[in-house]
Amino acid sequence: MIRYLVRRLLFSVPTLLAVLTVVFVLVRIVPGDPAQTILGDQASQQALESLRHRLGLDKPIHEQYVDFLKSAVLGDWGNSMVSGKPVMVEVANVLPYTIDLTVSALVLGVAIGMPLGAWSALRRNTWADYVTRIGSLLGLSFPAFVSGIMLLLAFAIHFRWFPVIGGGRLDDWPSRINSLVLPSINLALIMAAYITRVTRSSMLQVLGEDFMRTARAKGVPRRALIWRHALRNALIPVITVVGLYLGILIGNSVLTEIVFNRPGLGKLIVGALNQRDYTMLQGLMVIYAFIIVLVNLATDLTYGLVDPRVKYQ
C-alpha cells in the first residue's frame, strides 16, 4: 500500500510539471498588457516599463518560466499584481468558502444519488423506476446557472428563506451555513442525477451476474444480498464517476460562486483573469491542478478499500 502510494505520487510529478507548463503558456497568451491594465490608459511609457521590470515581465520568456517553476516548488507565488498582497494570503481568505461549497455538494450528491440509483435498480420497470429516471434526466438537463437562478427566484426572493448573495462571515457559522444551502443544492442536483444513473446501471449489471443467482439459490437473505453482494460490487464504477465528477464539480463551483455572488476561488480567478493578474492566475490554476491530482489519487486508493480484489501492484 505504501509502495503503491509512493509510486503514484512519483507518477504525479510529470503530470504536475505538464500542468504547470500549460498554465504558464495559457497565462502568457491571454491578450492584454498587465502593466497597462494596472496603471490605466493614461500611464506614461516610463511608468509602464518600470512596472514591467518590477513584475519581471521584461525578462526573456525562459527566465520567466524558470522563476515560475521555482515559485511552484517553494510554494511562494509572490504578490498579486493588482492588490499587492501575497497571493497565498488572498487565496487563504476565500479558500474556506470554496471548500464548504464543494464538500457539502459532494456529500449531498452522493447521499441522494447512490441510494436513489440502487432503489431504482431494485424496482426496474416500475413507476418508481420511471419517475427516478425522468427526475435524473431533468437534473442533467438544467445548466448550473439556470438552476441557480431558479433557486434564487424561488427560495431567496419569493419565500426569503435564504440570502440572495454573499457567503456569510467565516466566524459566524449560522450565517455561513444559511448562505451555503442554495449553492450546495444547486451543485448537488447535477451530481446526484449523474450518480443515480451510474448506480442504477451498475446495480442492474451486478444483479444479473451468476454469483447473485447462486447467492439467491443458497437462500441468502435479501438485505444481505443487496448490501453485501450487489451494492458493494456495483460501487467501483460509481467511485470512478464520483472522482471524475469532483473535478467537474470544482469547475462548476466557479459558475455557482458567480451566480450567488459568493466569495471563493472561482470568483477570485475570474477577477484575476479580467485584470490580467498573472501571479494570481498562476497560483489559482496550480492549486486547482494539485486538487485534481490529489482527488485522482484518493479515488485510486478507495478502489482497494471497497473491493479487496483490487491489488495495489
Side-chain angles (χ1 to χ4, degrees), residues 37 119-120 127 149 171 193 208 211 213 218 281 300:
T37 305
W119 184 72
S120 177
W127 66 267
I149 292 173
D171 57 350
F211 73 89
R213 283 191 284 272
K218 286 183 176 178
L281 268 178
D300 288 348

Side-chain angles (χ1 to χ4, degrees), residues 29-313:
I29 63 175
V30 173
D33 181 1
Q36 190 81 64
T37 305
I38 295 170
L39 296 179
D41 296 334
Q42 305 302 320
S44 65
Q45 189 62 32
Q46 184 180 5
L48 290 173
E49 290 179 1
S50 174
L51 182 57
R52 290 192 191 106
H53 178 71
R54 186 162 60 84
L55 297 176
L57 298 175
D58 57 346
K59 293 182 180 178
I61 196 70
H62 66 278
E63 290 187 23
Q64 292 186 44
Y65 179 65
V66 172
D67 291 342
F68 171 69
L69 291 182
K70 285 180 182 175
S71 299
V73 173
L74 298 174
D76 177 16
W77 295 107
N79 297 336
S80 164
M81 290 182 176
V82 177
S83 67
K85 297 178 182 176
V87 170
M88 295 309 293
V89 171
E90 295 223 18
V91 169
N93 287 336
V94 298
L95 186 59
Y97 291 104
T98 299
I99 292 176
D100 285 351
L101 180 60
T102 306
V103 172
S104 58
L106 175 67
V107 171
L108 198 58
V110 172
I112 295 173
M114 204 175 288
L116 201 58
W119 184 72
S120 177
L122 294 171
R123 289 158 180 77
R124 185 180 186 184
N125 294 333
T126 63
W127 66 267
D129 183 29
Y130 293 136
V131 170
T132 304
R133 290 163 64 184
I134 292 172
S136 62
L137 188 60
L138 285 174
L140 289 172
S141 302
F142 282 97
F145 71 93
V146 174
S147 56
I149 292 173
M150 291 170 66
L151 287 171
L152 278 175
L153 289 173
F155 298 104
I157 295 176
H158 183 71
F159 293 113
R160 299 186 179 181
W161 291 347
F162 303 102
V164 178
I165 60 172
R169 286 169 41 195
L170 286 177
D171 57 350
D172 184 3
W173 276 101
S175 71
R176 191 169 162 183
I177 293 174
N178 200 34
S179 304
L180 186 63
V181 174
L182 290 184
S184 300
I185 292 174
N186 185 45
L187 273 182
L189 282 176
I190 303 175
M191 185 171 191
Y194 201 43
I195 292 177
T196 298
R197 295 177 70 86
V198 174
T199 305
R200 178 185 178 277
S201 173
S202 183
M203 277 288 286
L204 286 176
Q205 185 177 354
V206 172
L207 289 172
E209 295 286 344
D210 291 339
F211 73 89
M212 291 297 295
R213 283 191 284 272
T214 304
R216 286 193 202 97
K218 286 183 176 178
V220 176
R222 177 179 168 81
R223 183 183 294 273
L225 196 68
I226 294 171
W227 289 99
R228 193 182 303 165
H229 297 284
L231 189 57
R232 189 168 184 175
N233 284 284
L235 280 182
I236 292 291
V238 180
I239 291 171
T240 304
V241 168
V242 171
L244 291 173
Y245 200 85
L246 188 54
I248 301 173
L249 193 67
I250 294 170
N252 280 343
S253 69
V254 176
L255 199 58
T256 299
E257 284 172 2
I258 293 171
V259 171
F260 289 87
N261 199 18
R262 282 176 56 84
L265 294 183
K267 200 172 176 187
L268 200 60
I269 202 169
V270 171
L273 191 61
N274 288 333
Q275 295 170 316
R276 311 293 189 271
D277 193 344
Y278 282 0
T279 50
M280 181 65 73
L281 268 178
Q282 289 172 169
L284 288 169
M285 293 176 77
V286 172
I287 287 171
Y288 273 111
F290 270 109
I291 292 174
I292 299 297
V293 170
L294 288 177
V295 167
N296 287 331
L297 179 61
T299 303
D300 288 348
L301 295 177
T302 308
Y303 289 153
L305 298 177
V306 172
D307 190 345
R309 293 172 300 178
V310 178
K311 302 295 183 184
Y312 294 118
Q313 294 178 353

